[in-house]
C-alpha cells in the first residue's frame, strides 16, 4: 500500500482448485476505492487484475500516477531527490513536493500534508529535558510535513518555503535550534539534516 498515492497492490497465490477468474471477479466486485477515507474525489480510478503464472496480480491506483524515476532506500537519500525535484519544478508548492518525496522512497509508509505556522511535530511540544515548548514555529510562507502515519516512528521530514526577502540562514538557524529529535517519548531520532535550495 502507498498512502500518498492511495495505491494498493496484492499478489495472491490461490488455493489448489480455486477458479482464478472467479477470484478476480470477486476482488473487483469487493474493491473499496475509498480505503483511506479521504473522500471520493481522491479515490483511485483504475482497477487491474490478472492471473499470471498461477498467481493473481491485483492493483488499485490512479491512472495519472507519475512514473517513479528515483527512489530513496534510506532517509539520507531523500536529499538528492529534493534537490532534483527543486531543479525540475522550481515553482512547486511544498505539499506537492512533500508528496513526491514521500512517494519516492521505500523505507517506510509515509504520508504528506500541508502545515501552517504554529505548533509543529518535532519543532514544538515536549523536549528531551521534560519541558514543554509551546512557542509556535514561524518564518515560512508555505510548508508541508511528510512522515509515517503512526508514531513512534524513526523519520520526520518537512519542506518549507521562506518568504522572498527573508534571510534563509536565519530560518535554518531557528529550524536547527527548535528541532527536537526526542519529540516522541518512545524514540529519539539519530540525525538532523537541513538542505536549502535556491539561495
Amino acid at each position: 500500500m502507498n498512502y500518498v498515492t492511495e495505491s494498493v497492490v496484492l499478489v495472491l497465490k490461490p488455493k489448489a482448485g480455486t477458479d482464478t477468474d472467479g477470484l478476480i471477479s470477486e476482488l473487483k466486485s469487493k474493491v473499496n476505492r475509498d480505503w483511506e477515507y479521504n473522500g471520493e474525489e481522491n479515490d483511485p480510478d483504475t482497477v487491474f487484475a490478472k492471473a499470471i503464472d498461477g498467481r493473481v496480480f491485483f492493483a488499485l491506483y490512479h491512472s495519472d500516477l507519475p512514473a517513479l524515476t528515483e527512489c530513496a532506500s534510506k532517509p539520507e537519500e531523500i536529499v538528492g531527490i529534493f534537490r532534483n525535484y527543486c531543479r525540475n519544478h522550481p515553482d512547486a508548492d511544498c505539499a506537492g513536493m512533500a508528496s513526491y518525496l514521500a512517494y519516492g522512497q521505500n523505507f517506510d509508509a509515509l504520508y504528506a500534508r500541508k502545515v501552517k505556522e504554529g505548533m509543529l511535530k518535532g519543532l514544538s511540544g515536549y523536549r528531551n529535558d521534560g519541558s514543554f515548548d509551546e512557542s509556535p514555529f514561524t518564518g515560512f510562507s508555505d510548508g508541508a510535513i511528510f512522515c509515517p502515519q503512526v508514531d513512534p516512528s524513526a523519520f520526520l521530514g518537512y519542506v518549507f518555503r521562506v518568504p522572498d526577502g527573508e534571510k534563509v540562514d536565519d530560518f535554518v538557524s531557528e529550524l536547527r535550534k527548535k528541532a527536537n529529535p526526542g519529540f516522541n517519548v518512545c524514540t529519539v531520532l539519530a540525525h538532523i539534516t537541513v538542505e536549502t535550495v535556491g539561495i
Side-chain angles (χ1 to χ4, degrees):
M1 295 181 290
N2 186 290
Y3 293 99
V4 174
T5 63
E6 300 189 63
S7 303
V8 178
V9 172
L10 299 173
V11 179
L12 307 172
K13 183 177 181 182
K15 291 181 180 178
T18 299
D19 172 21
T20 55
D21 289 338
L23 178 58
I24 287 171
S25 293
E26 185 177 359
L27 284 167
K28 287 181 173 180
S29 71
K30 292 185 176 180
V31 69
N32 176 9
R33 292 175 191 268
D34 194 25
W35 66 274
E36 270 217 285
Y37 307 105
N38 285 331
E40 189 176 307
E41 67 279 4
N42 299 309
D43 292 350
D45 61 3
T46 304
V47 175
F48 176 84
K50 185 175 183 177
I52 304 169
D53 295 331
R55 287 175 173 70
V56 171
F57 178 88
F58 171 89
L60 173 65
Y61 59 96
H62 290 277
S63 58
D64 61 354
L65 193 65
L68 188 57
T69 57
E70 52 186 344
C71 185
S73 57
K74 48 191 175 184
E76 52 269 26
E77 292 174 0
I78 285 185
V79 171
I81 297 174
F82 168 72
R83 283 192 207 115
N84 291 340
Y85 192 87
C86 288
R87 183 175 55 250
N88 296 324
H89 305 88
D91 298 321
D93 68 351
C94 290
M97 189 179 308
S99 292
Y100 183 81
L101 296 173
Y103 172 54
Q105 57 76 35
N106 63 3
F107 56 83
D108 213 334
L110 305 181
Y111 79 103
R113 67 176 171 79
K114 192 172 181 61
V115 295
K116 296 178 181 176
E117 293 183 321
M119 296 277 289
L120 296 178
K121 181 178 180 175
L123 297 170
S124 307
Y126 286 102
R127 308 298 294 182
N128 294 348
D129 62 6
S131 65
F132 188 80
D133 177 9
E134 57 185 325
S135 62
F137 187 76
T138 62
F140 60 95
S141 57
D142 187 18
I145 186 173
F146 57 110
C147 63
Q149 298 259 37
V150 179
D151 279 329
S153 61
F155 180 84
L156 173 66
Y158 282 98
V159 180
F160 296 110
R161 186 177 300 276
V162 178
D164 290 341
E166 297 295 319
K167 292 185 179 176
V168 174
D169 290 343
D170 290 347
F171 181 80
V172 168
S173 205
E174 185 66 12
L175 186 60
R176 287 188 179 280
K177 183 174 129 189
K178 295 273 288 184
N180 179 15
F183 71 92
N184 186 292
V185 295
C186 300
T187 189
V188 176
L189 304 186
H191 303 285
I192 296 173
T193 302
V194 179
E195 180 76 8
T196 59
V197 171
I199 60 169

